[in-house]
Every structure is written in structure tokens, then in C-alpha cells.
Amino acid sequence: MGDSDLSRVVVAGGTGLVGRALVKALLAQDAEVVVITRHPGSTVLPAGARAQGWDRLAEALEGSDAVFNLAGEGIADRRWSPRRKKALLESRVGTTEDLVEGLRACGHRPAVLVNASAIGYYGAQDDTPVSELTPAGKGFLPEVCMAWEAAALPARDLGVRVVLPRIGVVLAREGGALPKMALPVRMFLGSRLGSGHQGLSWIHRHDLVSLFLEAARNPAWEGPCNATAPEPVSQETFIRALAKRLHRPLLPVPGFLTDAALRLLLGEMGRDLLLRGAYVHPMKAEAQGFAFRYPTPEEALENLL
Ligand SMILES: NC(=O)c1ccc[n+]([C@@H]2O[C@H](COP(=O)([O-])OP(=O)(O)OC[C@H]3O[C@@H](n4cnc5c(N)ncnc54)[C@H](OP(=O)(O)O)[C@@H]3O)[C@@H](O)[C@H]2O)c1
């Protein structure tokens, strides 16, 4: 089977940190892009892209070649109250279900659905390398990711290839985790968090966009695939690389203090996103021969900072 064409593409959640870059890359390759957004009337998109609301999904999907789904409330935007957790879950599962229903209603369906998932699937792991064969972890994030992936899989019954990139911490200049991590370091307030031994599995946004495009084009990509750089590191190694890049020292704060402070300030979110982690390896991407432009934290940080 040859590579899938990407002439007409739908990007749900195409206004976010990852989606904006993906839309730009698609437009640069002369694709016709429809962005599904909650605010089709007011969203400003790059020239050439068209905004459409969730109520006109089937119309957007009809006759397109591929659909990417990146929609979901921001996981790290605020503390996880029970209400917030419900919104985090429902904004992912609900949008994915809507997309699958939209696909069902199509006469001419896209060949592929690339539906975002996250390394949160694996939950907190020790320093044993994690691959796509590692089972789901325990807790809120694994539950969200399992439900999110399960909502996408019925598209297979419609003859649509489903790819589920389990995305690591996305590094980009203008948003997401990196500016938040860099700020205290710039202010001479950087330190390791907790023990610092927790795995930090990251990916440069440029590589993530390339991986999404490759996964959509190449029919050999199917099911879950880790969208992380080949060199996951400990939180302490990452923050040291960041401090070195910014020519700043780190504060020798005892681990138990940052641990207690983050749990107090951010609750379960601080614990699960900052104090725990996993060393996730992109086994499937590497098996496909995917070439990362920024394989190490040093190379990514040099480009971004
Ligand atoms: N960034 C990371 O480090 C990272 C890591 C792992 C996984 N991921 C996953 O990858 C996806 C894209 O990440 P991102 O950083 O680009 O996210 P983002 O910047 O927060 O963008 C997500 C988009 O989802 C849409 N959205 C938000 N709430 C929604 C809701 N309740 N219903 C429907 N749509 C909603 C928004 O579009 P409109 O406002 O235009 O509707 C928004 O632009 C997310 O699902 C995220 O969980 C990201």
C-alpha cells in the first residue's frame, strides 16, 4: 500500500499549542485545512485554513483524507477539582466520540484518524524503560487516556485506520511546559523537584508535528505509539540541562521541601504531573525508522532557548 494523500485534512483542536504548528505544516505542504473549534466565528487562523464548529463535523469530514484530533481542556491549566477532572475527561472522550459519529455519517471517509493520547496512560512508573507494550498505570491520568483511546478505536470498524500517539511533554518556545519550567530557572529559583529521579519524557514540537504527519501518511502506523524523544531523562537531568542552557545555577533545595510545596500548592495535579513520571521510549516510531531532529534535551533546548 502506498502513502496516504494529505490534500484535504481536518484538525480538531487545531488552535492549540500543537494544533497551530500542525496546521502550519499542513498548509506549507499545500493541504486544504479545516480546523474544528468551539469558536469558529472568532478564531484567527493562518491564511489558507478554514474554521468550522463541532456542529458541522460531518460536513467537514466528508471527502477529507485524514483527521487529527487534538481537542481537550488543558491538563495543567488549573488544580484538579472533581469538576475539573470531569471536564478534562469529558472534553477528550466527548470530542472523540463526536468525531467517530461524524465519520460514521460520512459517505467518503478519511483513511486515517490520528487521535491524541498521552504518556499519562502509563501513570507513575519506576526507572524501568516504558514501551507501547507496558500496560496502563493506575490513577486519574491513566483512566482518562484509556477512555480517550477506547473512544477512538470504534473508527476502525468503519474502515478508518486509527493511530493513537501517546504524547510526552511537548517542548515549544511559546507555550506548554517549557516556559513554565524556564521561568524560575531564569529567576535563579530553579531546583530539582522532589527526588528528581522521576522520568521526564518529552518531545520537541517540531518532531511531534513530523511524527503526526508521518503517522497519517504511512499505513504501517496503527494503534498506540509513543510520541516522545528517544532520550527520556530524569527531572533532575532535564532541569540541569535547562539551567546550563540559561547560564543559571540551581538552588540546592532539599527534595522533601519541593515535594511538600508542590503537593500543597497544586494537589494531585502537582503530584502526578511534576513529582511522578516515566521513562517512555518511542519503540514503534523507531521501528518505523522515524528520524528525530531533536533527539536529546540539549539539542531541543539549544533550538528553543
Ligand atoms: N502539550 C503537551 O505537553 C501535551 C502532552 C501530552 C498530551 N497532550 C495532548 O495533546 C492535545 C493537544 O495539546 P495542546 O498542548 O496543543 O493543547 P491546547 O493548547 O490546550 O489545545 C487544545 C485545544 O482543544 C480545544 N479545546 C479545549 N477545551 C475543549 C473542550 N472542552 N471541548 C472541545 N475542544 C476543546 C481548544 O480549541 P478551541 O478553543 O479552538 O475549541 C484548544 O485549542 C491535547 O489533547 C493534550 O492533552 C499535550
Side-chain angles (χ1 to χ4, degrees), residues 3 182 197 200 212 225 248 252 264 266 269 286 289 300:
D3 280 6
H197 297 322
L200 201 163
F212 266 63
C225 61
R248 295 285 194 277
L264 190 70
L266 302 175
M269 181 180 95
E286 290 188 318

Side-chain angles (χ1 to χ4, degrees), residues 175-198:
L178 185 61
K180 288 182 189 151
M181 288 193 278
L183 182 68
V185 176
R186 283 189 207 278
M187 295 170 71
F188 295 86
L189 292 170
S191 76
R192 74 184 148 95
L193 303 178
S195 74
H197 297 322
Q198 63 276 34

Side-chain angles (χ1 to χ4, degrees), residues 82-147:
R83 199 161 143 213
R84 183 67 187 158
K85 282 177 154 180
K86 194 163 174 266
L88 292 172
L89 176 72
E90 287 180 357
S91 62
R92 287 176 170 74
V93 175
T95 50
T96 304
E97 284 172 351
D98 288 351
L99 271 171
V100 174
E101 277 319 298
L103 290 170
R104 200 182 302 281
C106 276
H108 292 93
R109 292 186 188 114
V112 57
L113 163 65
V114 180
N115 205 81
S117 178
I119 55 166
Y121 179 90
Y122 303 110
Q125 301 272 340
D126 57 20
D127 51 9
T128 315
V130 165
S131 80
E132 289 86 353
L133 300 173
T134 307
K138 288 194 171 53
F140 174 63
L141 288 178
E143 277 164 26
V144 169
C145 293
M146 278 190 283

Side-chain angles (χ1 to χ4, degrees), residues 24-35:
K24 273 195 197 153
L26 285 161
L27 291 170
Q29 299 180 5
D30 289 329
E32 191 188 317
V33 182
V34 179
V35 169

Side-chain angles (χ1 to χ4, degrees), residues 12-20 35-39 43 54 69-75 77 87 90-92 95 116-120 148 165-171 176-177 208 212:
T15 54
L17 182 72
V18 177
R20 282 197 309 271
V35 169
I36 307 297
T37 164
R38 292 166 299 170
H39 315 286
T43 295
W54 285 90
N69 180 20
L70 295 155
E73 295 279 343
I75 289 278
D77 286 0
E90 287 180 357
S91 62
R92 287 176 170 74
T95 50
S117 178
I119 55 166
W148 198 5
R166 292 180 179 155
I167 305 172
V169 175
V170 180
L171 301 185
L208 181 60
F212 266 63

